[in-house]
Amino acid sequence: MAFKCIEKIGEGGMGCVWKGCDQNRKIVAIKMMSNQLSYNPLYRELFYNEVQALKKMDHPSVVHILGDPYMDEAGNLFLPMEYVDGVNLEKYVLEHGAMSEDDAIRMMIQILDAMQYVHEQGCIHRDIKPANIMVRKDGNVCIIDFGIAKDARVGSSGETVGKVIGTDGYMSPEQANGLNVDLRTDIYSLGCLLYFMFVGEHAIATRGNEYNTIQAILKEEMPLPSSKNKTISPEIDRIFRKAVDKNMTLRFQSAKGFKTALNDIIRRPPNGIPYPLLGPQGGNPEGTKGEKTKESHNFGWAILSLLLPFVGWFLYGVWRDNKPKLASEINIMASIGFSVYVVALLVLLACGVAS
C-alpha cells in the first residue's frame, strides 16, 4: 500500500478522514469509507462521484487528490488527498467570533473565485457549508468534500430528482423539495455561508426533525445579518437577500456576479458615499473622465477671460504714455490684444452653450 494512515482527524456521515503519509513520508489526508457503506451501491457511487469531480480540478482553493482510490482486503475504500493544514470555517468563526465586514468580504471573494472555477468545470458542489471550507494557516481558503457533487450537465431528469441531498441550514429550497438543481443551488448555500461569517450563527437553525427543518427552508424568511450584527452595512443585507432568494431565478446567476457585488463594497470610498454610476451598468469610468475634462477646460477659459482685461489695460496704458512716434506700433499691439480678448470671450460663451 502506497499510503499509511496515522491518526483520525475527522468523521462524517459517510466515513472519516485520516492524517497519513506516502512512501516519501509526505503528509497527506486519506478519506475512508468503511465497508459498512462501501458495499452499498448508492454510497459507493457518491464516493466515486467525488473522485471524478476532483480529477477535473486544478485550483489553489480546491482540494487536490493525490492518486486513484483503492480498497483494502476488508472492503474499506480509501482516497488519498492533499492535507490542508488549518481549521474549517465553522471552527474558525467559533474560535475567533463573527468576522469584520472587510475580512468576511475578502475571504468570501476567495471562496467565490474557487466556486466560479468549480462551476466552469461543469460541477455543482451541493454541500457548501462552513465545515467544508478550510482556512489554511496563511489565511487562504480551500473547498473540500465533493462527496455529493453533481455534474452540472445532467439534464432536468438528472439523478437528484426525488432525493433530498444537502445539509440542514445550507440546503436550498429546490434541494429541500427534492427537485433538480443547478449552480444557483450553490449560490444559495454561499449566501447562507456569508451570513454565518458575519453573525457566527446559522441562518436557518436545524429544527427538531427533518420535516420541520424543510418547512423552515421552504417557507420562513431568513433574518438579515444586520439584525444580529449592527455593524453590517445595508449593502451586505441586500447582497445576502439576493443570494438566498427562494426563487432561484432572482438570485445571483453566477459566483462571478456574487463576487462583483462584494467587490463594489470594497471599492466604496471611506465616507460611505457610493462612487457615481455612469453608463448603462455603472462599470465604465469613461463618463467620469469626460466630465472632469470638460470642467478643467471651462476652468481654464474662465482664468483666461480674467487675465485678458489686464493685458488690454496694460497695452492701453503703454499706448497712452509713450511717445507719438511709437503710437502706430502700440496701436497695432493694442488692437491685437483686444481682438484676442474678444475671440476668447466668444469661445468661452460657445463652451458654455455646448455644456
Side-chain angles (χ1 to χ4, degrees):
M1 186 180 299
F3 300 92
K4 178 183 178 182
C5 295
I6 299 173
E7 63 174 322
K8 189 183 293 185
I9 56 176
E11 195 158 4
M14 293 194 296
C16 61
V17 179
W18 290 77
K19 182 178 181 180
C21 63
D22 62 12
Q23 292 175 329
N24 299 317
R25 295 185 173 275
K26 178 184 176 181
I27 298 299
V28 300
I30 303 173
K31 191 166 189 175
M32 186 191 86
M33 177 178 282
S34 71
N35 53 17
Q36 295 176 336
L37 297 177
S38 66
Y39 286 129
N40 184 318
L42 293 177
Y43 285 107
R44 192 165 61 249
E45 180 184 0
L46 291 174
F47 185 89
Y48 283 103
N49 278 349
E50 179 167 24
V51 176
Q52 294 306 313
L54 290 176
K55 278 185 174 181
K56 304 175 185 177
M57 310 294 173
D58 184 16
H59 190 282
S61 294
V62 177
V63 68
H64 294 83
I65 60 173
L66 301 177
D68 293 324
Y70 59 92
M71 180 181 288
D72 65 12
E73 294 179 355
N76 301 305
L77 272 173
F78 299 88
L79 178 63
M81 309 177 75
E82 167 194 6
Y83 178 76
V84 182
D85 193 8
V87 297
N88 67 46
L89 184 57
E90 186 167 26
K91 290 182 180 178
Y92 182 88
V93 171
L94 292 177
E95 289 175 4
H96 296 87
M99 302 174 69
S100 70
E101 186 167 302
D102 284 348
D103 288 345
I105 289 174
R106 293 181 192 284
M107 183 176 286
M108 193 65 188
I109 284 174
Q110 274 195 56
I111 296 169
L112 289 166
D113 267 334
M115 286 307 302
Q116 179 66 26
Y117 173 82
V118 168
H119 292 159
E120 287 172 354
Q121 306 313 303
C123 184
I124 308 164
H125 191 285
R126 294 199 297 177
D127 199 18
I128 291 293
K129 58 183 178 181
N132 285 340
I133 307 293
M134 294 294 293
V135 183
R136 302 179 192 269
K137 287 188 175 180
D138 62 4
N140 290 315
V141 300
C142 184
I143 300 173
I144 62 171
D145 201 349
F146 284 71
I148 62 172
K150 174 183 179 289
D151 191 327
R153 290 165 295 191
V154 174
S156 60
S157 60
E159 298 173 358
T160 60
V161 176
K163 297 179 182 178
V164 177
I165 296 180
T167 297
D168 295 346
Y170 295 84
M171 186 190 304
S172 68
E174 57 271 20
Q175 283 176 293
N177 260 327
L179 302 175
N180 198 45
V181 301
D182 62 24
L183 62 87
R184 293 170 292 184
T185 293
D186 285 341
I187 299 297
Y188 178 95
S189 302
L190 288 162
C192 296
L193 185 73
L194 186 68
Y195 181 95
F196 179 79
M197 294 163 74
F198 280 123
V199 176
E201 300 174 3
H202 303 305
I204 295 181
T206 302
R207 303 301 196 264
N209 56 59
E210 183 180 342
Y211 175 81
N212 288 338
T213 300
I214 289 176
Q215 291 306 303
I217 293 170
L218 295 176
K219 297 179 180 179
E220 291 184 12
E221 287 295 326
M222 283 186 273
L224 294 173
S226 63
S227 68
K228 300 293 184 79
N229 183 344
K230 300 303 181 183
T231 67
I232 299 302
S233 64
E235 290 93 339
I236 289 294
D237 280 345
R238 286 194 289 269
I239 289 171
F240 165 74
R241 182 61 74 199
K242 183 174 179 65
V244 299
D245 199 296
K246 296 187 188 302
N247 183 342
M248 65 197 305
T249 65
L250 299 179
R251 294 175 203 156
F252 294 108
Q253 299 300 291
S254 68
K256 184 178 180 180
F258 197 159
K259 174 188 167 184
T260 298
L262 291 176
N263 267 327
D264 288 342
I265 295 179
I266 291 179
R267 290 194 291 264
R268 184 180 55 196
N271 61 11
I273 300 173
Y275 290 119
L277 298 180
L278 303 169
Q281 300 298 327
N284 192 333
E286 291 302 316
T288 304
K289 188 186 298 182
E291 291 296 328
K292 289 181 178 177
T293 302
K294 184 188 293 182
E295 290 173 6
S296 63
H297 286 171
N298 288 346
F299 180 74
W301 283 115
I303 294 296
L304 182 61
S305 68
L306 291 174
L307 291 176
L308 282 173
F310 291 101
V311 174
W313 184 258
F314 171 76
L315 292 173
Y316 172 74
V318 172
W319 173 78
R320 184 186 59 190
D321 297 337
N322 276 277
K323 297 177 181 180
K325 66 178 181 179
L326 298 176
S328 60
E329 296 177 10
I330 301 299
N331 228 351
I332 293 172
M333 293 174 63
S335 298
I336 293 172
F338 182 74
S339 299
V340 171
Y341 175 60
V342 171
V343 171
L345 284 178
L346 291 174
V347 171
L348 180 63
L349 290 172
C351 288
V353 171
S355 60

